[in-house]
mmCIF file of all heavy atoms in Angstrom:
data_model
loop_
_atom_site.group_PDB
_atom_site.id
_atom_site.type_symbol
_atom_site.label_atom_id
_atom_site.label_comp_id
_atom_site.label_asym_id
_atom_site.label_seq_id
_atom_site.Cartn_x
_atom_site.Cartn_y
_atom_site.Cartn_z
ATOM 1 N N PHE A 1616 9.375 -1.252 -29.054
ATOM 2 C CA PHE A 1616 10.059 0.047 -29.081
ATOM 3 C C PHE A 1616 9.207 1.123 -28.447
ATOM 4 O O PHE A 1616 9.673 1.887 -27.588
ATOM 5 C CB PHE A 1616 10.403 0.456 -30.510
ATOM 6 C CG PHE A 1616 10.739 1.919 -30.636
ATOM 7 C CD1 PHE A 1616 11.962 2.406 -30.197
ATOM 8 C CD2 PHE A 1616 9.810 2.830 -31.149
ATOM 9 C CE1 PHE A 1616 12.258 3.760 -30.256
ATOM 10 C CE2 PHE A 1616 10.104 4.179 -31.218
ATOM 11 C CZ PHE A 1616 11.326 4.644 -30.772
ATOM 12 N N LEU A 1617 7.937 1.215 -28.845
ATOM 13 C CA LEU A 1617 7.086 2.285 -28.328
ATOM 14 C C LEU A 1617 6.800 2.086 -26.845
ATOM 15 O O LEU A 1617 6.707 3.061 -26.091
ATOM 16 C CB LEU A 1617 5.782 2.350 -29.129
ATOM 17 C CG LEU A 1617 4.986 3.645 -29.001
ATOM 18 C CD1 LEU A 1617 5.809 4.830 -29.471
ATOM 19 C CD2 LEU A 1617 3.678 3.565 -29.772
ATOM 20 N N LYS A 1618 6.678 0.849 -26.422
ATOM 21 C CA LYS A 1618 6.475 0.575 -24.996
ATOM 22 C C LYS A 1618 7.670 1.084 -24.192
ATOM 23 O O LYS A 1618 7.516 1.653 -23.107
ATOM 24 C CB LYS A 1618 6.266 -0.919 -24.775
ATOM 25 C CG LYS A 1618 5.943 -1.290 -23.326
ATOM 26 C CD LYS A 1618 5.737 -2.784 -23.161
ATOM 27 C CE LYS A 1618 4.491 -3.253 -23.881
ATOM 28 N NZ LYS A 1618 4.213 -4.696 -23.589
ATOM 29 N N ASP A 1619 8.867 0.890 -24.728
ATOM 30 C CA ASP A 1619 10.055 1.384 -24.045
ATOM 31 C C ASP A 1619 10.155 2.904 -24.131
ATOM 32 O O ASP A 1619 10.546 3.566 -23.170
ATOM 33 C CB ASP A 1619 11.307 0.744 -24.651
ATOM 34 C CG ASP A 1619 12.586 1.282 -24.037
ATOM 35 O OD1 ASP A 1619 12.821 1.046 -22.843
ATOM 36 O OD2 ASP A 1619 13.343 1.979 -24.755
ATOM 37 N N ALA A 1620 9.790 3.461 -25.291
ATOM 38 C CA ALA A 1620 9.906 4.909 -25.483
ATOM 39 C C ALA A 1620 9.003 5.676 -24.532
ATOM 40 O O ALA A 1620 9.407 6.704 -23.966
ATOM 41 C CB ALA A 1620 9.562 5.264 -26.935
ATOM 42 N N LEU A 1621 7.780 5.196 -24.336
ATOM 43 C CA LEU A 1621 6.805 5.903 -23.504
ATOM 44 C C LEU A 1621 6.803 5.418 -22.066
ATOM 45 O O LEU A 1621 6.323 6.133 -21.179
ATOM 46 C CB LEU A 1621 5.396 5.729 -24.087
ATOM 47 C CG LEU A 1621 5.176 6.182 -25.526
ATOM 48 C CD1 LEU A 1621 3.718 5.985 -25.921
ATOM 49 C CD2 LEU A 1621 5.599 7.631 -25.729
ATOM 50 N N GLY A 1622 7.321 4.220 -21.828
ATOM 51 C CA GLY A 1622 7.164 3.574 -20.538
ATOM 52 C C GLY A 1622 5.938 2.675 -20.594
ATOM 53 O O GLY A 1622 4.940 2.993 -21.241
ATOM 54 N N GLU A 1623 5.996 1.547 -19.911
ATOM 55 C CA GLU A 1623 4.947 0.529 -20.041
ATOM 56 C C GLU A 1623 3.572 1.063 -19.642
ATOM 57 O O GLU A 1623 2.577 0.824 -20.331
ATOM 58 C CB GLU A 1623 5.308 -0.688 -19.189
ATOM 59 C CG GLU A 1623 4.373 -1.861 -19.401
ATOM 60 C CD GLU A 1623 4.879 -3.130 -18.733
ATOM 61 O OE1 GLU A 1623 6.017 -3.120 -18.227
ATOM 62 O OE2 GLU A 1623 4.127 -4.129 -18.720
ATOM 63 N N ARG A 1624 3.479 1.811 -18.547
ATOM 64 C CA ARG A 1624 2.172 2.315 -18.087
ATOM 65 C C ARG A 1624 1.626 3.365 -19.046
ATOM 66 O O ARG A 1624 0.444 3.357 -19.394
ATOM 67 C CB ARG A 1624 2.308 2.893 -16.679
ATOM 68 C CG ARG A 1624 0.983 3.357 -16.053
ATOM 69 C CD ARG A 1624 0.151 2.185 -15.605
ATOM 70 N NE ARG A 1624 -1.122 2.557 -15.022
ATOM 71 C CZ ARG A 1624 -1.312 2.954 -13.767
ATOM 72 N NH1 ARG A 1624 -0.284 3.072 -12.938
ATOM 73 N NH2 ARG A 1624 -2.522 3.229 -13.326
ATOM 74 N N MET A 1625 2.475 4.273 -19.489
ATOM 75 C CA MET A 1625 2.022 5.305 -20.416
ATOM 76 C C MET A 1625 1.576 4.677 -21.729
ATOM 77 O O MET A 1625 0.565 5.085 -22.320
ATOM 78 C CB MET A 1625 3.154 6.305 -20.656
ATOM 79 C CG MET A 1625 2.784 7.526 -21.516
ATOM 80 S SD MET A 1625 1.727 8.714 -20.659
ATOM 81 C CE MET A 1625 0.161 8.426 -21.489
ATOM 82 N N HIS A 1626 2.320 3.698 -22.213
ATOM 83 C CA HIS A 1626 1.964 2.983 -23.436
ATOM 84 C C HIS A 1626 0.590 2.330 -23.285
ATOM 85 O O HIS A 1626 -0.265 2.423 -24.170
ATOM 86 C CB HIS A 1626 3.039 1.930 -23.731
ATOM 87 C CG HIS A 1626 2.784 1.092 -24.936
ATOM 88 N ND1 HIS A 1626 2.191 -0.152 -24.850
ATOM 89 C CD2 HIS A 1626 3.042 1.299 -26.258
ATOM 90 C CE1 HIS A 1626 2.093 -0.680 -26.062
ATOM 91 N NE2 HIS A 1626 2.603 0.184 -26.923
ATOM 92 N N PHE A 1627 0.339 1.683 -22.153
ATOM 93 C CA PHE A 1627 -0.935 1.005 -21.901
ATOM 94 C C PHE A 1627 -2.095 2.001 -21.890
ATOM 95 O O PHE A 1627 -3.132 1.787 -22.531
ATOM 96 C CB PHE A 1627 -0.858 0.256 -20.569
ATOM 97 C CG PHE A 1627 -2.128 -0.456 -20.190
ATOM 98 C CD1 PHE A 1627 -2.387 -1.736 -20.656
ATOM 99 C CD2 PHE A 1627 -3.059 0.160 -19.365
ATOM 100 C CE1 PHE A 1627 -3.562 -2.391 -20.311
ATOM 101 C CE2 PHE A 1627 -4.237 -0.482 -19.016
ATOM 102 C CZ PHE A 1627 -4.493 -1.763 -19.497
ATOM 103 N N VAL A 1628 -1.924 3.104 -21.168
ATOM 104 C CA VAL A 1628 -2.990 4.116 -21.073
ATOM 105 C C VAL A 1628 -3.240 4.763 -22.423
ATOM 106 O O VAL A 1628 -4.400 4.953 -22.839
ATOM 107 C CB VAL A 1628 -2.616 5.168 -20.004
ATOM 108 C CG1 VAL A 1628 -3.567 6.367 -20.064
ATOM 109 C CG2 VAL A 1628 -2.647 4.541 -18.615
ATOM 110 N N PHE A 1629 -2.180 5.114 -23.131
ATOM 111 C CA PHE A 1629 -2.330 5.763 -24.434
ATOM 112 C C PHE A 1629 -3.074 4.855 -25.406
ATOM 113 O O PHE A 1629 -3.980 5.302 -26.115
ATOM 114 C CB PHE A 1629 -0.942 6.114 -24.978
ATOM 115 C CG PHE A 1629 -0.953 6.884 -26.267
ATOM 116 C CD1 PHE A 1629 -1.514 8.147 -26.336
ATOM 117 C CD2 PHE A 1629 -0.388 6.359 -27.418
ATOM 118 C CE1 PHE A 1629 -1.522 8.872 -27.517
ATOM 119 C CE2 PHE A 1629 -0.381 7.063 -28.603
ATOM 120 C CZ PHE A 1629 -0.955 8.328 -28.661
ATOM 121 N N LEU A 1630 -2.727 3.579 -25.445
ATOM 122 C CA LEU A 1630 -3.423 2.638 -26.333
ATOM 123 C C LEU A 1630 -4.881 2.478 -25.945
ATOM 124 O O LEU A 1630 -5.764 2.407 -26.812
ATOM 125 C CB LEU A 1630 -2.712 1.293 -26.318
ATOM 126 C CG LEU A 1630 -1.722 1.012 -27.463
ATOM 127 C CD1 LEU A 1630 -2.455 0.928 -28.796
ATOM 128 C CD2 LEU A 1630 -0.621 2.050 -27.539
ATOM 129 N N ALA A 1631 -5.162 2.432 -24.657
ATOM 130 C CA ALA A 1631 -6.553 2.315 -24.220
ATOM 131 C C ALA A 1631 -7.373 3.524 -24.669
ATOM 132 O O ALA A 1631 -8.520 3.386 -25.126
ATOM 133 C CB ALA A 1631 -6.606 2.171 -22.696
ATOM 134 N N LEU A 1632 -6.801 4.707 -24.575
ATOM 135 C CA LEU A 1632 -7.499 5.917 -25.005
ATOM 136 C C LEU A 1632 -7.726 5.925 -26.510
ATOM 137 O O LEU A 1632 -8.804 6.295 -26.996
ATOM 138 C CB LEU A 1632 -6.697 7.153 -24.593
ATOM 139 C CG LEU A 1632 -6.595 7.426 -23.097
ATOM 140 C CD1 LEU A 1632 -5.585 8.533 -22.819
ATOM 141 C CD2 LEU A 1632 -7.957 7.794 -22.521
ATOM 142 N N LYS A 1633 -6.727 5.508 -27.275
ATOM 143 C CA LYS A 1633 -6.863 5.516 -28.735
ATOM 144 C C LYS A 1633 -7.864 4.459 -29.206
ATOM 145 O O LYS A 1633 -8.637 4.703 -30.140
ATOM 146 C CB LYS A 1633 -5.508 5.298 -29.391
ATOM 147 C CG LYS A 1633 -4.483 6.415 -29.152
ATOM 148 C CD LYS A 1633 -4.977 7.753 -29.668
ATOM 149 C CE LYS A 1633 -5.459 8.660 -28.574
ATOM 150 N NZ LYS A 1633 -5.983 9.948 -29.081
ATOM 151 N N ARG A 1634 -7.876 3.295 -28.559
ATOM 152 C CA ARG A 1634 -8.863 2.281 -28.933
ATOM 153 C C ARG A 1634 -10.276 2.765 -28.635
ATOM 154 O O ARG A 1634 -11.198 2.550 -29.435
ATOM 155 C CB ARG A 1634 -8.568 0.979 -28.183
ATOM 156 C CG ARG A 1634 -7.321 0.250 -28.663
ATOM 157 C CD ARG A 1634 -7.150 -1.064 -27.908
ATOM 158 N NE ARG A 1634 -5.977 -1.795 -28.344
ATOM 159 C CZ ARG A 1634 -4.956 -2.114 -27.562
ATOM 160 N NH1 ARG A 1634 -4.962 -1.748 -26.274
ATOM 161 N NH2 ARG A 1634 -3.931 -2.793 -28.037
ATOM 162 N N ALA A 1635 -10.458 3.410 -27.497
ATOM 163 C CA ALA A 1635 -11.781 3.932 -27.155
ATOM 164 C C ALA A 1635 -12.213 5.017 -28.132
ATOM 165 O O ALA A 1635 -13.384 5.086 -28.538
ATOM 166 C CB ALA A 1635 -11.766 4.479 -25.724
ATOM 167 N N GLU A 1636 -11.282 5.872 -28.514
ATOM 168 C CA GLU A 1636 -11.591 6.934 -29.474
ATOM 169 C C GLU A 1636 -11.943 6.337 -30.827
ATOM 170 O O GLU A 1636 -12.898 6.782 -31.487
ATOM 171 C CB GLU A 1636 -10.388 7.873 -29.591
ATOM 172 C CG GLU A 1636 -10.638 9.132 -30.392
ATOM 173 C CD GLU A 1636 -9.430 10.065 -30.405
ATOM 174 O OE1 GLU A 1636 -8.555 9.938 -29.533
ATOM 175 O OE2 GLU A 1636 -9.363 10.917 -31.313
ATOM 176 N N TYR A 1637 -11.201 5.309 -31.249
ATOM 177 C CA TYR A 1637 -11.502 4.654 -32.521
ATOM 178 C C TYR A 1637 -12.902 4.024 -32.495
ATOM 179 O O TYR A 1637 -13.670 4.166 -33.460
ATOM 180 C CB TYR A 1637 -10.455 3.582 -32.828
ATOM 181 C CG TYR A 1637 -10.781 2.799 -34.082
ATOM 182 C CD1 TYR A 1637 -10.445 3.296 -35.335
ATOM 183 C CD2 TYR A 1637 -11.464 1.596 -34.004
ATOM 184 C CE1 TYR A 1637 -10.777 2.595 -36.488
ATOM 185 C CE2 TYR A 1637 -11.802 0.882 -35.147
ATOM 186 C CZ TYR A 1637 -11.451 1.393 -36.382
ATOM 187 O OH TYR A 1637 -11.801 0.708 -37.521
ATOM 188 N N ARG A 1638 -13.245 3.331 -31.406
ATOM 189 C CA ARG A 1638 -14.574 2.711 -31.311
ATOM 190 C C ARG A 1638 -15.672 3.751 -31.399
ATOM 191 O O ARG A 1638 -16.731 3.505 -31.999
ATOM 192 C CB ARG A 1638 -14.692 1.930 -30.001
ATOM 193 C CG ARG A 1638 -13.866 0.655 -29.943
ATOM 194 C CD ARG A 1638 -14.316 -0.231 -28.786
ATOM 195 N NE ARG A 1638 -14.174 0.430 -27.501
ATOM 196 C CZ ARG A 1638 -13.085 0.371 -26.748
ATOM 197 N NH1 ARG A 1638 -12.016 -0.303 -27.168
ATOM 198 N NH2 ARG A 1638 -13.049 0.974 -25.574
ATOM 199 N N ARG A 1639 -15.423 4.908 -30.830
ATOM 200 C CA ARG A 1639 -16.444 5.967 -30.853
ATOM 201 C C ARG A 1639 -16.708 6.436 -32.278
ATOM 202 O O ARG A 1639 -17.860 6.625 -32.683
ATOM 203 C CB ARG A 1639 -15.977 7.125 -29.974
ATOM 204 C CG ARG A 1639 -16.989 8.228 -29.802
ATOM 205 C CD ARG A 1639 -16.570 9.173 -28.701
ATOM 206 N NE ARG A 1639 -17.603 10.164 -28.434
ATOM 207 C CZ ARG A 1639 -17.617 10.941 -27.371
ATOM 208 N NH1 ARG A 1639 -16.664 10.822 -26.461
ATOM 209 N NH2 ARG A 1639 -18.572 11.827 -27.191
ATOM 210 N N PHE A 1640 -15.658 6.622 -33.056
ATOM 211 C CA PHE A 1640 -15.840 7.034 -34.449
ATOM 212 C C PHE A 1640 -16.416 5.909 -35.290
ATOM 213 O O PHE A 1640 -17.253 6.151 -36.164
ATOM 214 C CB PHE A 1640 -14.502 7.497 -35.038
ATOM 215 C CG PHE A 1640 -14.175 8.929 -34.744
ATOM 216 C CD1 PHE A 1640 -13.278 9.258 -33.738
ATOM 217 C CD2 PHE A 1640 -14.769 9.960 -35.460
ATOM 218 C CE1 PHE A 1640 -12.971 10.583 -33.457
ATOM 219 C CE2 PHE A 1640 -14.468 11.285 -35.188
ATOM 220 C CZ PHE A 1640 -13.571 11.598 -34.178
ATOM 221 N N ALA A 1641 -15.980 4.675 -35.037
ATOM 222 C CA ALA A 1641 -16.462 3.546 -35.823
ATOM 223 C C ALA A 1641 -17.955 3.331 -35.644
ATOM 224 O O ALA A 1641 -18.639 2.827 -36.550
ATOM 225 C CB ALA A 1641 -15.692 2.284 -35.442
#
Side-chain angles (χ1 to χ4, degrees):
F1616 164 75
L1617 198 60
K1618 184 180 293 186
D1619 177 66
L1621 303 182
E1623 188 170 353
R1624 184 75 181 278
M1625 185 73 253
H1626 178 264
F1627 179 86
V1628 169
F1629 185 63
L1630 263 294
L1632 293 170
K1633 295 301 103 182
R1634 289 183 180 119
E1636 189 177 341
Y1637 175 83
R1638 289 195 300 270
R1639 185 168 186 167
F1640 276 101

